[in-house]
Amino acid sequence: MIGGARQPREDGPPPVPPSHQGCAIRSVRLQLPAHRGELRDRHEDGHHLHHLVWRLGPGVRVCSSAVLGGGIGPRAWIINAQVPGGYPRLDPDRHLAEIAASEGLTGPGAGLMTAADVAAYTTGHDGGVTATVTTGLGVRGWAAAPDVDCLPHRPGTVNIVLTLPAALSDAALVNAVATATEAKVQALLDAGLDCSGTPTDAVCVAAPEPGPDGGEPFAGPRSTWGARIARAVHTAVLAGARPARDLS
């Protein structure tokens, strides 16, 4: 299936009482193909939440704008975690690290956060590229907007995680993030939404470490891998954005 949504489970373990010593989590694996990440089910401070986990292993690096593990470098895992609306914590990086620890993840990783329903993730596939997207568009708008007072962090975001089998140079990794963002905006417009995204959208691109050749030099939308990235992201974002439009 090129793109689609999965609904959260109605059953699950009983809620875990709030903890003042970090993140109280009880997690259950829900089987999914590895290239989409694993959908995990947890109870945290009385909330039934989900997160997606990619266990990348050695030899993979990530270019990311994520709140945890952003930048370019080797990463062993990625997490995209759902949090409650009105998220009260001021340390999202530490919170994500707690969730990662509960999954037994070690080494450097990248963590994204959203108030959107992570279980309703959507995917797009093209030529070996997989885009997995969670779509939260409750606080959407245009990137170039009049000055406004700085708003507190609100994690209702469009989060994009890309995995591909080709090594990319540093420049191509950055280019891949730009290409994914262009494709996201195209999909939002094709869905009939008057926005370029939300103030806190994030992107992660995971690809093998480059060898002596330095990796693919380009990932713009007319390059081989950039075109695949664009089509995969467009498919996934469009599938997630259409329900948001219908609820508007």
Side-chain angles (χ1 to χ4, degrees):
M1 182 172 66
I2 294 296
R6 295 181 182 268
Q7 298 303 316
R9 291 177 50 174
E10 295 297 328
D11 60 349
V16 176
S19 168
H20 299 292
Q21 300 299 321
C23 194
I25 296 172
R26 189 172 177 183
S27 195
V28 176
R29 178 175 298 194
L30 308 179
Q31 295 294 335
L32 288 177
H35 63 276
R36 296 184 184 178
E38 302 169 46
L39 181 64
R40 305 286 284 186
D41 179 77
R42 79 186 193 275
H43 286 77
E44 181 182 306
D45 294 343
H47 297 282
H48 184 195
L49 303 167
H50 295 86
H51 52 277
L52 284 162
V53 180
W54 288 258
R55 301 174 193 272
L56 303 175
V60 177
R61 66 177 187 160
V62 171
C63 179
S64 173
S65 63
V67 65
L68 173 68
I72 298 176
R75 302 287 184 269
W77 48 267
I78 300 171
I79 283 182
N80 184 13
Q82 179 184 356
V83 296
Y87 181 66
R89 292 184 60 159
L90 301 177
D91 58 346
D93 53 344
R94 180 175 178 181
H95 187 184
L96 287 162
E98 290 167 0
I99 297 172
S102 78
E103 292 288 354
L105 301 173
T106 59
L112 306 92
M113 190 170 277
T114 180
D117 180 8
V118 167
Y121 72 94
T122 54
T123 59
H125 311 279
D126 195 290
V129 175
T130 295
T132 304
V133 174
T134 53
T135 308
L137 289 164
V139 187
R140 60 180 183 262
W142 293 99
D147 283 342
V148 295
D149 291 336
C150 184
L151 298 175
H153 174 76
R154 301 186 66 176
T157 64
V158 179
N159 283 341
I160 300 170
V161 175
L162 282 159
T163 60
L164 63 155
L168 302 179
S169 69
D170 285 0
L173 280 171
V174 175
N175 207 175
V177 172
T179 296
T181 302
E182 290 182 42
K184 175 198 72 175
V185 176
Q186 181 181 347
L188 294 174
L189 295 178
D190 287 346
L193 294 167
D194 58 343
C195 65
S196 58
T198 84
T200 52
D201 291 353
V203 180
C204 282
V205 180
E209 290 269 10
D213 64 354
E216 295 288 331
F218 306 113
R222 295 286 73 84
S223 69
T224 298
W225 288 103
R228 295 171 182 177
I229 287 168
R231 290 190 293 263
V233 170
H234 183 271
T235 295
V237 174
L238 186 61
R242 281 173 170 159
R245 176 201 61 193
D246 296 340
L247 291 173
S248 298

